[in-house]
């Protein structure tokens, strides 16, 4: 049995109850610090997995898919480290058990990422069709496990950790934590992740995000995000954003 199913689904017996509680709590419209980045990361995972399923591992185009997968692994590793430092650390003394569990989840995540990196190295070094085929199969199933674990883990953060942040901190304090986290991200990575968020968010969420940037960030930063929106939301979705949110052209 896989590491993921051994360590996760046989635990957290009250997880379903926490989801119901979270849905009820969300009716209070508290700030969800995880929403945008998690939707962006999910979009990247889904897109990467679809490309892995569709790609001929023995053709040159497979290299670009592997590069996207490596980028996704890097983003998830950094994301876990940032959460540990800026979102889990503040509640560690207040709720040590859940903090320890989430930190342990991130260790599992790093392990799954390491397995994928090893399989990728095998694919790159394979000298024949059979070697590449075997490595690609390892990549395929390891990606499935990585995605399954991270989808479950992100749900847990949004239905358990988020409730604790709401319990102990105001929205303003949570936004301050998020601001510190964002400031620690390399600008190039931040822009790339923002593109995935544009692809993964709903129209109302994008409109609220752009409005928040307009109010809270310098105009050059706002202009960059409007440009990203125009590039990523071509056609109907961009028109819907413009209809629901009057862009400051």
């Amino acid at each position: 049995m896989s590491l993921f199913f051994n360590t996760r689904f046989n635990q957290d017996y009250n997880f379903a109850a926490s989801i119901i509680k979270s849905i009820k709590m969300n009716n209070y419209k508290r700030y969800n610090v995880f929403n945008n980045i998690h939707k962006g990361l999910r979009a990247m995972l889904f897109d990467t997995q679809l490309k892995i399923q569709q790609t001929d591992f023995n053709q040159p185009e497979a290299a670009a898919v592997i590069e996207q997968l490596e980028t996704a692994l890097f983003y998830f590793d950094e994301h876990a480290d940032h959460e540990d430092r800026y979102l889990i650390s503040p509640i560690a003394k207040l709720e040590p058990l859940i903090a320890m569990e989430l930190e342990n989840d991130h260790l599992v995540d790093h392990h799954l990422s390491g397995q994928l990196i090893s399989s990728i190295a095998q694919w790159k070094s394979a000298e024949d069709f059979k070697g590449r085929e075997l490595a690609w199969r390892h990549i395929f199933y390891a990606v499935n496990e990585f995605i399954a674990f991270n989808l479950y883990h992100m749900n847990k953060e949004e239905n358990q950790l988020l409730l604790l942040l709401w319990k102990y901190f105001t929205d303003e304090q949570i936004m301050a934590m998020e601001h510190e986290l964002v400031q620690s991200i390399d600008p190039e990575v931040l822009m790339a992740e923002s593109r995935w968020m544009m692809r993964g968010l709903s129209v109302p969420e994008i409109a609220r995000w752009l409005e928040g940037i307009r109010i809270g960030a310098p105009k050059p930063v706002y202009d960059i995000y409007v440009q990203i929106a125009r590039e990523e939301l071509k056609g109907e979705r961009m028109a819907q954003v413009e209809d629901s949110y009057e862009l400051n052209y």
Side-chain angles (χ1 to χ4, degrees):
M1 185 178 291
S2 73
L3 175 65
F4 167 51
F5 288 103
N6 265 326
T7 57
R8 297 273 52 94
F9 275 140
N10 290 331
Q11 301 175 12
D12 302 322
Y13 300 109
N14 295 319
F15 188 44
S18 72
I19 293 176
I20 295 172
K21 183 178 179 182
S22 175
I23 292 171
K24 293 178 180 178
M25 288 287 289
N26 269 298
N27 290 332
Y28 293 104
K29 305 299 183 183
R30 292 291 308 272
Y31 182 62
N32 184 346
V33 67
F34 299 107
N35 185 74
N36 289 12
I37 184 59
H38 279 182
K39 282 199 168 186
L41 291 173
R42 290 187 192 102
M44 188 177 195
L45 284 180
F46 299 152
D47 182 79
T48 304
Q49 173 61 346
L50 183 59
K51 287 177 180 175
I52 288 172
Q53 291 186 166
Q54 294 174 338
T55 299
D56 182 345
F57 63 86
N58 210 39
Q59 296 299 317
E61 59 265 26
V65 178
I66 289 296
E67 183 178 357
Q68 179 172 320
L69 174 58
E70 290 174 320
T71 300
L73 296 177
F74 171 73
Y75 288 173
F76 270 85
D77 281 348
E78 275 216 332
H79 178 67
D81 290 340
H82 292 151
E83 286 182 334
D84 283 344
R85 191 181 315 164
Y86 297 105
L87 298 176
I88 296 176
S89 178
I91 68 155
K93 291 183 179 179
L94 301 167
E95 299 282 352
L97 292 181
I98 186 62
M100 184 181 301
E101 182 178 339
L102 291 168
E103 288 170 350
N104 287 338
D105 276 3
H106 287 160
L107 293 177
V108 175
D109 194 38
H110 288 314
H111 176 79
L112 294 172
S113 179
Q115 288 182 325
L116 265 168
I117 291 170
S118 177
S119 295
I120 290 170
Q122 291 175 9
W123 178 81
K124 288 182 176 180
S125 64
E127 297 180 352
D128 56 22
F129 178 90
K130 185 175 181 180
R132 285 190 292 274
E133 180 184 30
L134 180 61
W136 196 264
R137 286 181 62 82
H138 286 167
I139 290 170
F140 174 75
Y141 289 109
V143 167
N144 287 343
E145 187 159 326
F146 182 84
I147 291 174
F149 175 80
N150 275 285
L151 291 178
Y152 180 74
H153 174 71
M154 286 188 282
N155 275 5
K156 181 189 292 185
E157 288 179 330
E158 294 187 37
N159 292 292
Q160 292 184 351
L161 177 57
L162 183 61
L163 296 186
L164 295 177
L165 290 171
W166 287 349
K167 178 180 178 181
Y168 293 109
F169 303 102
T170 65
D171 283 354
E172 290 73 20
Q173 290 172 316
I174 296 171
M175 290 177 186
M177 297 174 197
E178 181 185 43
H179 178 73
E180 284 191 71
L181 189 159
V182 170
Q183 291 295 107
S184 72
I185 301 174
D186 179 89
E188 186 175 340
V189 172
L190 182 62
M191 291 298 100
E193 290 179 337
S194 296
R195 290 186 179 276
W196 284 107
M197 286 188 269
M198 288 290 182
R199 298 167 192 171
L201 292 170
S202 69
V203 166
E205 289 169 333
I206 294 168
R208 287 193 296 269
W209 185 24
L210 289 174
E211 176 64 10
I213 296 170
R214 186 187 68 80
I215 294 172
K219 189 175 186 303
V221 174
Y222 170 71
D223 290 341
I224 289 172
Y225 276 86
V226 170
Q227 183 60 34
I228 290 174
R230 290 175 179 147
E231 291 171 359
E232 297 297 334
L233 307 175
K234 298 174 182 178
E236 183 178 350
R237 286 217 336 137
M238 189 63 202
Q240 290 173 346
V241 170
E242 291 175 330
D243 287 342
S244 63
Y245 169 63
E246 188 174 347
L247 294 178
N248 184 18
Y249 290 100

